[in-house]
Amino acid sequence: MLMEGSTIGGFERLQEHVAHGAFHDSGERFDPPKCHHNTRVAIIKRIMHWIGGLNEDIREALVMWLYGAAGAGKSAIAQTIAEILDGQHIVLASFFFSRNDPERGTAIPLITTLAYQLAVKLPLVFRERLGQAFENDPLITTRSLEAQFKTLVREPLLELLHSGFSTNNHIVIIIDGLDECDNPKVQAGIVDLSFRLLDSRDLPLKILIASRPEMDISSSFDRKPFYTLARIALDDDYQSAEDIRHFLADKFNEIKADHPLRSYIPIGWPAEDSLNTLVRKSSGQFIYASTVVKYVASARHRPTHRLEVVLGIKLPKA
């Protein structure tokens, strides 16, 4: 509680409008999905090369769109990229949308959440300008997303640059699950806004957006000049079947080593044709493979029996 006569500063006021559950390292997202070791290697490499300006064919692109069907692994890739950037001390701000979360299912706290993360990672000049913006306009959070981005991100970044700040790396914003934002028109508006604010190319900023290819989002991206946008489609070009096979093999080895009923598991389990069947059934969707592993790994059941249920060899018990 505030003492009588005390006032809330601009930066403190900003914190009241932050969806902290949307951070890549939020405690609310404990154990978030991420790429299994040695999977999605080509995709991660392409994204990191784009961020580092190492891919000549997409060097001019300041926005990248990672898209694919539900369960294709978009959020796991976005999470992995965020953790890599964090580990390399590259300035990062992220927002992971979630349809079922009242804070993360709407774009209302998007800009303030991104601005807060930048403020705690960049030099003090950025935070001071941000706090001043809130003091100048205490109702800034009621403005349009474009007005908020201009006032809370773009202008503080420009002031930071004018103060002499320089960086060898681009600052990165990651927006994951854009299709889970509650308003399709807002989804498309966020895409348009990203391009408008980077159009002048005066900020060391790149934006990675991951989503399903929903109509409004796709239409918005399709209207952009090709050289300003890099795209990655999660399809067979990136060997998803091989990645899923590697994931399943590793997880079944863990089950054989650690499961309470491992003494009932034969040495050659699972058979190669069983793995082939699971990879085929996955159809490139990691969510299927992940669900199978969780089902088979149940501590109260024999893994061999559970796998036979998945493969249709054995009926599940009532």
Side-chain angles (χ1 to χ4, degrees), residues 218-250:
S218 296
S219 296
S220 185
F221 276 118
D222 288 344
R223 290 193 297 268
K224 306 299 179 283
F226 73 93
Y227 64 88
T228 65
L229 170 65
R231 297 173 184 247
I232 294 183
L234 292 182
D235 54 24
D236 291 340
D237 288 348
Y238 285 98
Q239 301 177 313
S240 58
E242 286 306 307
D243 283 345
I244 288 172
R245 179 185 299 278
H246 179 77
F247 168 77
L248 287 169
D250 278 2

mmCIF file of all heavy atoms in Angstrom, residues 218-250:
data_model
loop_
_atom_site.group_PDB
_atom_site.id
_atom_site.type_symbol
_atom_site.label_atom_id
_atom_site.label_comp_id
_atom_site.label_asym_id
_atom_site.label_seq_id
_atom_site.Cartn_x
_atom_site.Cartn_y
_atom_site.Cartn_z
ATOM 1 N N SER A 218 -2.706 -14.560 -43.115
ATOM 2 C CA SER A 218 -2.088 -14.861 -44.405
ATOM 3 C C SER A 218 -2.284 -13.724 -45.400
ATOM 4 O O SER A 218 -1.350 -13.339 -46.117
ATOM 5 C CB SER A 218 -2.671 -16.156 -44.981
ATOM 6 O OG SER A 218 -2.376 -17.255 -44.164
ATOM 7 N N SER A 219 -3.493 -13.189 -45.427
ATOM 8 C CA SER A 219 -3.783 -12.089 -46.361
ATOM 9 C C SER A 219 -2.915 -10.878 -46.065
ATOM 10 O O SER A 219 -2.415 -10.207 -46.978
ATOM 11 C CB SER A 219 -5.260 -11.700 -46.274
ATOM 12 O OG SER A 219 -6.077 -12.773 -46.684
ATOM 13 N N SER A 220 -2.718 -10.598 -44.785
ATOM 14 C CA SER A 220 -1.894 -9.457 -44.396
ATOM 15 C C SER A 220 -0.442 -9.664 -44.822
ATOM 16 O O SER A 220 0.191 -8.758 -45.373
ATOM 17 C CB SER A 220 -1.977 -9.242 -42.879
ATOM 18 O OG SER A 220 -1.278 -8.090 -42.494
ATOM 19 N N PHE A 221 0.097 -10.852 -44.598
ATOM 20 C CA PHE A 221 1.475 -11.126 -45.021
ATOM 21 C C PHE A 221 1.598 -11.108 -46.544
ATOM 22 O O PHE A 221 2.604 -10.637 -47.087
ATOM 23 C CB PHE A 221 1.937 -12.483 -44.477
ATOM 24 C CG PHE A 221 2.453 -12.441 -43.066
ATOM 25 C CD1 PHE A 221 1.827 -13.157 -42.051
ATOM 26 C CD2 PHE A 221 3.584 -11.693 -42.749
ATOM 27 C CE1 PHE A 221 2.312 -13.123 -40.757
ATOM 28 C CE2 PHE A 221 4.077 -11.655 -41.446
ATOM 29 C CZ PHE A 221 3.439 -12.367 -40.446
ATOM 30 N N ASP A 222 0.591 -11.621 -47.244
ATOM 31 C CA ASP A 222 0.664 -11.716 -48.703
ATOM 32 C C ASP A 222 0.708 -10.351 -49.379
ATOM 33 O O ASP A 222 1.158 -10.245 -50.526
ATOM 34 C CB ASP A 222 -0.527 -12.511 -49.241
ATOM 35 C CG ASP A 222 -0.417 -13.994 -48.928
ATOM 36 O OD1 ASP A 222 0.688 -14.444 -48.588
ATOM 37 O OD2 ASP A 222 -1.450 -14.703 -49.006
ATOM 38 N N ARG A 223 0.265 -9.325 -48.677
ATOM 39 C CA ARG A 223 0.261 -7.969 -49.262
ATOM 40 C C ARG A 223 1.612 -7.256 -49.098
ATOM 41 O O ARG A 223 1.786 -6.149 -49.623
ATOM 42 C CB ARG A 223 -0.839 -7.123 -48.615
ATOM 43 C CG ARG A 223 -2.252 -7.541 -48.984
ATOM 44 C CD ARG A 223 -3.266 -6.478 -48.581
ATOM 45 N NE ARG A 223 -3.299 -6.288 -47.139
ATOM 46 C CZ ARG A 223 -4.120 -6.936 -46.307
ATOM 47 N NH1 ARG A 223 -4.962 -7.840 -46.795
ATOM 48 N NH2 ARG A 223 -4.093 -6.705 -45.005
ATOM 49 N N LYS A 224 2.551 -7.863 -48.405
ATOM 50 C CA LYS A 224 3.827 -7.198 -48.129
ATOM 51 C C LYS A 224 4.835 -7.456 -49.250
ATOM 52 O O LYS A 224 4.848 -8.541 -49.856
ATOM 53 C CB LYS A 224 4.403 -7.683 -46.788
ATOM 54 C CG LYS A 224 3.445 -7.530 -45.614
ATOM 55 C CD LYS A 224 3.063 -6.073 -45.382
ATOM 56 C CE LYS A 224 2.097 -5.916 -44.231
ATOM 57 N NZ LYS A 224 0.713 -6.287 -44.538
ATOM 58 N N PRO A 225 5.708 -6.470 -49.546
ATOM 59 C CA PRO A 225 6.759 -6.690 -50.553
ATOM 60 C C PRO A 225 7.613 -7.893 -50.165
ATOM 61 O O PRO A 225 7.970 -8.045 -48.993
ATOM 62 C CB PRO A 225 7.576 -5.387 -50.491
ATOM 63 C CG PRO A 225 6.648 -4.367 -49.904
ATOM 64 C CD PRO A 225 5.759 -5.115 -48.966
ATOM 65 N N PHE A 226 7.951 -8.726 -51.141
ATOM 66 C CA PHE A 226 8.599 -10.009 -50.841
ATOM 67 C C PHE A 226 9.939 -9.841 -50.128
ATOM 68 O O PHE A 226 10.316 -10.649 -49.279
ATOM 69 C CB PHE A 226 8.796 -10.808 -52.137
ATOM 70 C CG PHE A 226 9.881 -10.272 -53.034
ATOM 71 C CD1 PHE A 226 11.176 -10.761 -52.951
ATOM 72 C CD2 PHE A 226 9.603 -9.283 -53.967
ATOM 73 C CE1 PHE A 226 12.176 -10.263 -53.769
ATOM 74 C CE2 PHE A 226 10.603 -8.790 -54.790
ATOM 75 C CZ PHE A 226 11.897 -9.282 -54.690
ATOM 76 N N TYR A 227 10.675 -8.745 -50.443
ATOM 77 C CA TYR A 227 12.016 -8.603 -49.859
ATOM 78 C C TYR A 227 11.980 -8.168 -48.391
ATOM 79 O O TYR A 227 13.002 -8.234 -47.699
ATOM 80 C CB TYR A 227 12.841 -7.592 -50.682
ATOM 81 C CG TYR A 227 12.283 -6.178 -50.654
ATOM 82 C CD1 TYR A 227 12.661 -5.280 -49.656
ATOM 83 C CD2 TYR A 227 11.378 -5.756 -51.619
ATOM 84 C CE1 TYR A 227 12.145 -3.987 -49.630
ATOM 85 C CE2 TYR A 227 10.857 -4.476 -51.595
ATOM 86 C CZ TYR A 227 11.243 -3.597 -50.608
ATOM 87 O OH TYR A 227 10.715 -2.328 -50.569
ATOM 88 N N THR A 228 10.816 -7.716 -47.911
ATOM 89 C CA THR A 228 10.730 -7.268 -46.517
ATOM 90 C C THR A 228 10.356 -8.398 -45.567
ATOM 91 O O THR A 228 10.358 -8.214 -44.352
ATOM 92 C CB THR A 228 9.672 -6.155 -46.369
ATOM 93 O OG1 THR A 228 8.364 -6.703 -46.663
ATOM 94 C CG2 THR A 228 9.953 -4.995 -47.300
ATOM 95 N N LEU A 229 10.023 -9.573 -46.123
ATOM 96 C CA LEU A 229 9.490 -10.668 -45.314
ATOM 97 C C LEU A 229 10.223 -11.969 -45.607
ATOM 98 O O LEU A 229 10.437 -12.328 -46.756
ATOM 99 C CB LEU A 229 7.995 -10.852 -45.622
ATOM 100 C CG LEU A 229 7.306 -12.099 -45.042
ATOM 101 C CD1 LEU A 229 7.269 -12.045 -43.525
ATOM 102 C CD2 LEU A 229 5.889 -12.239 -45.599
ATOM 103 N N ALA A 230 10.616 -12.658 -44.547
ATOM 104 C CA ALA A 230 11.145 -14.020 -44.663
ATOM 105 C C ALA A 230 10.066 -14.980 -44.163
ATOM 106 O O ALA A 230 9.416 -14.710 -43.155
ATOM 107 C CB ALA A 230 12.417 -14.161 -43.838
ATOM 108 N N ARG A 231 9.879 -16.089 -44.859
ATOM 109 C CA ARG A 231 8.846 -17.063 -44.471
ATOM 110 C C ARG A 231 9.485 -18.429 -44.228
ATOM 111 O O ARG A 231 10.409 -18.821 -44.946
ATOM 112 C CB ARG A 231 7.803 -17.231 -45.585
ATOM 113 C CG ARG A 231 6.997 -15.988 -45.937
ATOM 114 C CD ARG A 231 6.151 -16.292 -47.163
ATOM 115 N NE ARG A 231 5.403 -15.137 -47.635
ATOM 116 C CZ ARG A 231 4.077 -15.030 -47.594
ATOM 117 N NH1 ARG A 231 3.359 -16.027 -47.108
ATOM 118 N NH2 ARG A 231 3.467 -13.957 -48.045
ATOM 119 N N ILE A 232 8.954 -19.117 -43.232
ATOM 120 C CA ILE A 232 9.308 -20.527 -43.035
ATOM 121 C C ILE A 232 8.012 -21.305 -42.834
ATOM 122 O O ILE A 232 7.279 -21.062 -41.876
ATOM 123 C CB ILE A 232 10.228 -20.740 -41.813
ATOM 124 C CG1 ILE A 232 11.602 -20.092 -42.041
ATOM 125 C CG2 ILE A 232 10.397 -22.235 -41.546
ATOM 126 C CD1 ILE A 232 12.574 -20.328 -40.911
ATOM 127 N N ALA A 233 7.745 -22.224 -43.759
ATOM 128 C CA ALA A 233 6.576 -23.094 -43.629
ATOM 129 C C ALA A 233 7.026 -24.402 -42.996
ATOM 130 O O ALA A 233 8.008 -25.011 -43.437
ATOM 131 C CB ALA A 233 5.959 -23.354 -45.006
ATOM 132 N N LEU A 234 6.334 -24.815 -41.958
ATOM 133 C CA LEU A 234 6.682 -26.078 -41.301
ATOM 134 C C LEU A 234 6.086 -27.232 -42.109
ATOM 135 O O LEU A 234 4.978 -27.685 -41.849
ATOM 136 C CB LEU A 234 6.163 -26.083 -39.864
ATOM 137 C CG LEU A 234 6.851 -25.092 -38.929
ATOM 138 C CD1 LEU A 234 6.307 -25.217 -37.514
ATOM 139 C CD2 LEU A 234 8.354 -25.298 -38.923
ATOM 140 N N ASP A 235 6.844 -27.666 -43.093
ATOM 141 C CA ASP A 235 6.374 -28.750 -43.967
ATOM 142 C C ASP A 235 7.493 -29.769 -44.151
ATOM 143 O O ASP A 235 8.508 -29.745 -43.447
ATOM 144 C CB ASP A 235 5.890 -28.196 -45.311
ATOM 145 C CG ASP A 235 6.956 -27.328 -45.987
ATOM 146 O OD1 ASP A 235 8.152 -27.520 -45.676
ATOM 147 O OD2 ASP A 235 6.598 -26.464 -46.809
ATOM 148 N N ASP A 236 7.332 -30.653 -45.124
ATOM 149 C CA ASP A 236 8.289 -31.744 -45.309
ATOM 150 C C ASP A 236 9.662 -31.276 -45.751
ATOM 151 O O ASP A 236 10.636 -32.030 -45.689
ATOM 152 C CB ASP A 236 7.746 -32.749 -46.330
ATOM 153 C CG ASP A 236 6.544 -33.512 -45.777
ATOM 154 O OD1 ASP A 236 6.397 -33.547 -44.545
ATOM 155 O OD2 ASP A 236 5.759 -34.049 -46.580
ATOM 156 N N ASP A 237 9.778 -30.016 -46.195
ATOM 157 C CA ASP A 237 11.083 -29.506 -46.611
ATOM 158 C C ASP A 237 12.076 -29.508 -45.453
ATOM 159 O O ASP A 237 13.288 -29.490 -45.672
ATOM 160 C CB ASP A 237 10.952 -28.075 -47.158
ATOM 161 C CG ASP A 237 10.266 -28.048 -48.515
ATOM 162 O OD1 ASP A 237 10.116 -29.132 -49.113
ATOM 163 O OD2 ASP A 237 9.890 -26.952 -48.969
ATOM 164 N N TYR A 238 11.571 -29.486 -44.248
ATOM 165 C CA TYR A 238 12.455 -29.422 -43.075
ATOM 166 C C TYR A 238 12.502 -30.747 -42.317
ATOM 167 O O TYR A 238 12.737 -30.773 -41.117
ATOM 168 C CB TYR A 238 12.033 -28.273 -42.157
ATOM 169 C CG TYR A 238 12.443 -26.923 -42.716
ATOM 170 C CD1 TYR A 238 11.539 -26.137 -43.413
ATOM 171 C CD2 TYR A 238 13.750 -26.464 -42.576
ATOM 172 C CE1 TYR A 238 11.923 -24.907 -43.943
ATOM 173 C CE2 TYR A 238 14.143 -25.249 -43.108
ATOM 174 C CZ TYR A 238 13.231 -24.471 -43.785
ATOM 175 O OH TYR A 238 13.617 -23.272 -44.315
ATOM 176 N N GLN A 239 12.301 -31.856 -43.020
ATOM 177 C CA GLN A 239 12.534 -33.206 -42.494
ATOM 178 C C GLN A 239 11.810 -33.453 -41.154
ATOM 179 O O GLN A 239 12.389 -34.024 -40.232
ATOM 180 C CB GLN A 239 14.039 -33.445 -42.305
ATOM 181 C CG GLN A 239 14.838 -33.309 -43.592
ATOM 182 C CD GLN A 239 16.327 -33.473 -43.352
ATOM 183 O OE1 GLN A 239 16.876 -32.875 -42.428
ATOM 184 N NE2 GLN A 239 16.984 -34.261 -44.171
ATOM 185 N N SER A 240 10.556 -33.036 -41.079
ATOM 186 C CA SER A 240 9.831 -33.230 -39.822
ATOM 187 C C SER A 240 9.685 -34.712 -39.482
ATOM 188 O O SER A 240 9.714 -35.095 -38.310
ATOM 189 C CB SER A 240 8.446 -32.565 -39.900
ATOM 190 O OG SER A 240 7.691 -33.092 -40.973
ATOM 191 N N ALA A 241 9.566 -35.572 -40.502
ATOM 192 C CA ALA A 241 9.430 -37.008 -40.240
ATOM 193 C C ALA A 241 10.675 -37.555 -39.548
ATOM 194 O O ALA A 241 10.591 -38.333 -38.585
ATOM 195 C CB ALA A 241 9.162 -37.764 -41.538
ATOM 196 N N GLU A 242 11.859 -37.151 -40.011
ATOM 197 C CA GLU A 242 13.100 -37.606 -39.383
ATOM 198 C C GLU A 242 13.232 -37.073 -37.969
ATOM 199 O O GLU A 242 13.709 -37.763 -37.063
ATOM 200 C CB GLU A 242 14.307 -37.191 -40.234
ATOM 201 C CG GLU A 242 14.476 -37.995 -41.501
ATOM 202 C CD GLU A 242 14.511 -39.499 -41.217
ATOM 203 O OE1 GLU A 242 15.313 -39.931 -40.369
ATOM 204 O OE2 GLU A 242 13.713 -40.233 -41.834
ATOM 205 N N ASP A 243 12.828 -35.830 -37.771
ATOM 206 C CA ASP A 243 12.866 -35.244 -36.426
ATOM 207 C C ASP A 243 11.937 -35.994 -35.478
ATOM 208 O O ASP A 243 12.275 -36.240 -34.318
ATOM 209 C CB ASP A 243 12.461 -33.763 -36.484
ATOM 210 C CG ASP A 243 13.583 -32.871 -36.999
ATOM 211 O OD1 ASP A 243 14.728 -33.341 -37.035
ATOM 212 O OD2 ASP A 243 13.297 -31.708 -37.342
ATOM 213 N N ILE A 244 10.761 -36.357 -35.967
ATOM 214 C CA ILE A 244 9.801 -37.085 -35.128
ATOM 215 C C ILE A 244 10.329 -38.484 -34.807
ATOM 216 O O ILE A 244 10.203 -38.961 -33.670
ATOM 217 C CB ILE A 244 8.423 -37.149 -35.818
ATOM 218 C CG1 ILE A 244 7.771 -35.750 -35.772
ATOM 219 C CG2 ILE A 244 7.508 -38.179 -35.160
ATOM 220 C CD1 ILE A 244 6.509 -35.619 -36.583
ATOM 221 N N ARG A 245 10.953 -39.140 -35.779
ATOM 222 C CA ARG A 245 11.544 -40.458 -35.540
ATOM 223 C C ARG A 245 12.624 -40.361 -34.449
ATOM 224 O O ARG A 245 12.687 -41.191 -33.532
ATOM 225 C CB ARG A 245 12.139 -41.015 -36.834
ATOM 226 C CG ARG A 245 12.795 -42.397 -36.660
ATOM 227 C CD ARG A 245 13.469 -42.814 -37.968
ATOM 228 N NE ARG A 245 12.487 -42.917 -39.032
ATOM 229 C CZ ARG A 245 11.710 -43.964 -39.225
ATOM 230 N NH1 ARG A 245 11.803 -45.013 -38.422
ATOM 231 N NH2 ARG A 245 10.839 -43.979 -40.208
ATOM 232 N N HIS A 246 13.471 -39.347 -34.553
ATOM 233 C CA HIS A 246 14.542 -39.149 -33.567
ATOM 234 C C HIS A 246 13.944 -38.895 -32.174
ATOM 235 O O HIS A 246 14.404 -39.467 -31.178
ATOM 236 C CB HIS A 246 15.405 -37.959 -34.002
ATOM 237 C CG HIS A 246 16.521 -37.637 -33.073
ATOM 238 N ND1 HIS A 246 17.679 -38.370 -33.017
ATOM 239 C CD2 HIS A 246 16.656 -36.651 -32.145
ATOM 240 C CE1 HIS A 246 18.482 -37.862 -32.087
ATOM 241 N NE2 HIS A 246 17.882 -36.816 -31.555
ATOM 242 N N PHE A 247 12.914 -38.063 -32.110
ATOM 243 C CA PHE A 247 12.239 -37.757 -30.842
ATOM 244 C C PHE A 247 11.652 -39.027 -30.219
ATOM 245 O O PHE A 247 11.860 -39.313 -29.029
ATOM 246 C CB PHE A 247 11.134 -36.724 -31.101
ATOM 247 C CG PHE A 247 10.177 -36.527 -29.962
ATOM 248 C CD1 PHE A 247 10.536 -35.775 -28.850
ATOM 249 C CD2 PHE A 247 8.906 -37.086 -29.996
ATOM 250 C CE1 PHE A 247 9.654 -35.585 -27.791
ATOM 251 C CE2 PHE A 247 8.014 -36.904 -28.945
ATOM 252 C CZ PHE A 247 8.389 -36.154 -27.842
ATOM 253 N N LEU A 248 10.927 -39.823 -31.030
ATOM 254 C CA LEU A 248 10.298 -41.046 -30.515
ATOM 255 C C LEU A 248 11.345 -42.052 -30.035
ATOM 256 O O LEU A 248 11.201 -42.657 -28.962
ATOM 257 C CB LEU A 248 9.425 -41.679 -31.595
ATOM 258 C CG LEU A 248 8.107 -40.964 -31.916
ATOM 259 C CD1 LEU A 248 7.485 -41.539 -33.182
ATOM 260 C CD2 LEU A 248 7.130 -41.070 -30.759
ATOM 261 N N ALA A 249 12.401 -42.233 -30.810
ATOM 262 C CA ALA A 249 13.435 -43.191 -30.430
ATOM 263 C C ALA A 249 14.082 -42.808 -29.102
ATOM 264 O O ALA A 249 14.284 -43.664 -28.223
ATOM 265 C CB ALA A 249 14.498 -43.278 -31.533
ATOM 266 N N ASP A 250 14.393 -41.527 -28.929
ATOM 267 C CA ASP A 250 14.989 -41.060 -27.672
ATOM 268 C C ASP A 250 14.038 -41.271 -26.495
ATOM 269 O O ASP A 250 14.449 -41.717 -25.420
ATOM 270 C CB ASP A 250 15.345 -39.579 -27.780
ATOM 271 C CG ASP A 250 16.681 -39.353 -28.477
ATOM 272 O OD1 ASP A 250 17.298 -40.344 -28.905
ATOM 273 O OD2 ASP A 250 17.104 -38.180 -28.595
#
